[in-house]
Each structure stands twice: as C-alpha cells, then as structure tokens.
Amino acid sequence: MEDKELQLVDHLEELRKRIIISALAFVVFFIVGFIYVGDIYKWFVGDTKLLVLGPSDIMWIYFMLAGVVAIAGTIPVLALQIWLFVKPALKPLERKITLSYIPALFLLFIGGLAFGYFAIFPMVLKFLISMGQDMFVTNFTAERYFNFIMNMTLPFGVLFELPVVVMFLTSIGIINPFVLARVRKYAYFVLVLIAVVITPPDFMSDFVVTMPLLLLYEISINLSKFVYRKKLKKEQENELVEV
C-alpha cells in the first residue's frame, strides 16, 4: 500500500515538473512574441491602418499576437514533456517512434494555420465584405480584425494535429483503427458541423473546408492502421524470441 502511495507521489511530482517546464516555455515564447509584435502586425496588415477604439485595444493586440507565437512555440516543448512523462511506460521501439512525432506536431500546427490564413480567411472575408459593400463603409478595428483572423486559423491549427495525435495514441495502445472506423460517421458529422459553423453560408465554402477535414480523418485512420500493424508485428516477434 505504501509502495503504491509512493509511486503515486512520484508520478504527481513528475507531472508537476513537466507542467512547470511547459509553462515556462510558454512564458519565454510569449515574451519573444511580445518583442516582435510590431513586425508580426506589419506582416499581417502591410500598410493598412486599422482602427483602435481605446488604448486597451493596442495592448489586447499585443497579447493576442504574442499568445499565438507562444502557443506555436510551446507545442513541441509540451509534446516533448508529455513524451518524457509516458516514456518509462513505453518499450524501446515505442519510445523511438513516438519521439519522431514531436516535429510533426509543430509542422502540422503551422500547416493548419497557413491553410486557415491563406485559403479560408480571404474567402470568408471577401464573402462578408461583398454582402455589405452597398450598405456599409467597411472600416475595421484592429481588435475585431485580429479576432476574426484567429477564429479562421487557430481551429485549423488544432485540427491538423489529428493524424499525429492518432498515431501517437495508437502506438501506446489507447486507440486502434477499428475504433476510428467504427465512429467514422459520428466524426464526419462533427467535422462537417465545424466546417459549416466557421464558413459563410454557401455550399462552395462549406465544401472547400469540409473536404480537407474529412481527408485528414481518413489519413488518420490509415496511419493508425500502419502503426497498429507494425505494433502487432513487433509484439509477435518479441513473443517468438521469448519462446
């Protein structure tokens, strides 16, 4: 009983250590992002002058842009800390395979942001402006403009992580491709719902967003199958060696 309690305390202490390291990484990347907010802002808006309704709006923009930099930079650090936390429970081959997922998490997150910004954001913005061009003067406040950008990009940054997350969870035995295939219709429904909510109310926009999301899910299933087969094959080989 005492041994179990000691093990639990050790696990909690290890978890606390990993959380602290991840939090410190977030703070460091946030400070770096805060320093370079001016450059990031100019990259987004160019020579366009956006409105601010008060001094607090300026600070809000700084925090928002620095926060995105901090999230992007912290993802690989957080993934590494999670890997280090579960590492003792993994076999040597599983450790090697799952460690390779960390760079992919970062690259897919950046890829999702790029897809949202370069493909979805201009399409949605153009549609919304066209709706009111004969009725309104389109002046944007900086806060609303960047809130809109975040809403159009961050969800894709998260959703694009799906294949790597599925591979990782398959490799440690939490899920398998059969479960993913069984819940496919429910997953499709959720993904289509997400696409409809974040896009303008026209079929083409919904289609352009839905197809990549459904494709991501199918890719995730196939990657899960690949990892699952390799995992089973390795386990069978180990059993034969032990016999």
Side-chain angles (χ1 to χ4, degrees):
M1 186 66 178
E2 290 182 359
D3 290 341
K4 289 183 178 180
E5 290 179 354
L6 288 174
Q7 287 179 358
L8 179 61
V9 171
D10 289 340
H11 284 309
L12 292 175
E13 184 62 29
E14 181 70 12
L15 179 61
R16 177 175 170 273
K17 175 184 174 183
R18 301 302 166 196
I19 292 173
I20 290 173
I21 293 174
S22 300
L24 288 174
F26 181 88
V27 172
V28 170
F29 283 115
F30 185 88
I31 293 172
V32 172
F34 200 88
I35 293 171
Y36 290 100
V37 159
D39 296 323
I40 299 169
Y41 179 89
K42 288 178 182 177
W43 186 84
F44 275 114
V45 303
D47 296 327
T48 305
K49 297 294 184 180
L50 299 175
L51 300 174
V52 291
L53 301 179
S56 60
D57 286 0
I58 299 172
M59 184 58 66
W60 176 249
I61 297 302
Y62 270 74
F63 275 91
M64 183 187 298
L65 294 179
V68 174
V69 172
I71 291 171
T74 305
I75 282 176
V77 178
L78 178 61
L80 178 61
Q81 297 309 309
I82 293 173
W83 180 81
L84 289 171
F85 181 71
V86 301
K87 178 182 174 183
L90 301 177
K91 298 175 182 177
L93 180 63
E94 291 175 335
R95 293 176 185 176
K96 184 178 179 181
I97 293 173
T98 52
L99 184 61
S100 65
Y101 297 154
I102 294 175
L105 278 171
F106 175 73
L107 293 175
L108 284 173
F109 182 77
I110 298 301
L113 293 180
F115 175 76
Y117 182 71
F118 292 108
I120 305 305
F121 168 69
M123 176 182 64
V124 176
L125 183 63
K126 182 179 179 181
F127 174 83
L128 294 176
I129 291 176
S130 67
M131 287 180 63
Q133 63 182 357
D134 297 327
M135 301 166 61
F136 310 106
V137 176
T138 53
N139 291 324
F140 301 112
T141 66
E143 180 185 358
R144 293 291 182 89
Y145 183 79
F146 281 101
N147 266 328
F148 186 70
I149 291 178
M150 295 303 108
N151 291 337
M152 292 294 104
T153 55
L154 282 180
F156 290 101
V158 174
L159 289 170
F160 270 52
E161 305 275 25
L162 183 61
V164 177
V165 172
V166 166
M167 290 176 69
F168 175 74
L169 295 177
T170 302
S171 65
I172 62 177
I174 293 180
I175 62 173
N176 61 61
F178 308 109
V179 173
L180 294 173
R182 194 161 55 244
V183 300
R184 178 187 274 115
K185 60 183 179 180
Y186 304 109
Y188 274 22
F189 175 77
V190 172
L191 293 174
V192 170
L193 188 61
I194 291 172
V196 170
V197 168
I198 66 176
T199 54
D202 68 272
F203 173 76
M204 186 53 64
S205 299
D206 294 340
F207 180 80
V208 168
V209 177
T210 299
M211 286 301 103
L213 297 183
L214 299 186
L215 180 61
L216 273 175
Y217 191 80
E218 290 303 320
I219 290 173
S220 300
I221 292 177
N222 285 290
L223 290 174
S224 179
K225 288 179 181 177
F226 174 75
V227 173
Y228 189 71
R229 287 180 191 138
K230 287 192 69 174
K231 188 171 183 292
L232 287 180
K233 184 179 178 181
K234 194 63 182 178
E235 289 175 352
Q236 290 171 356
E237 290 175 355
N238 291 337
E239 288 176 1
L240 289 175
V241 170
E242 290 175 1
V243 172

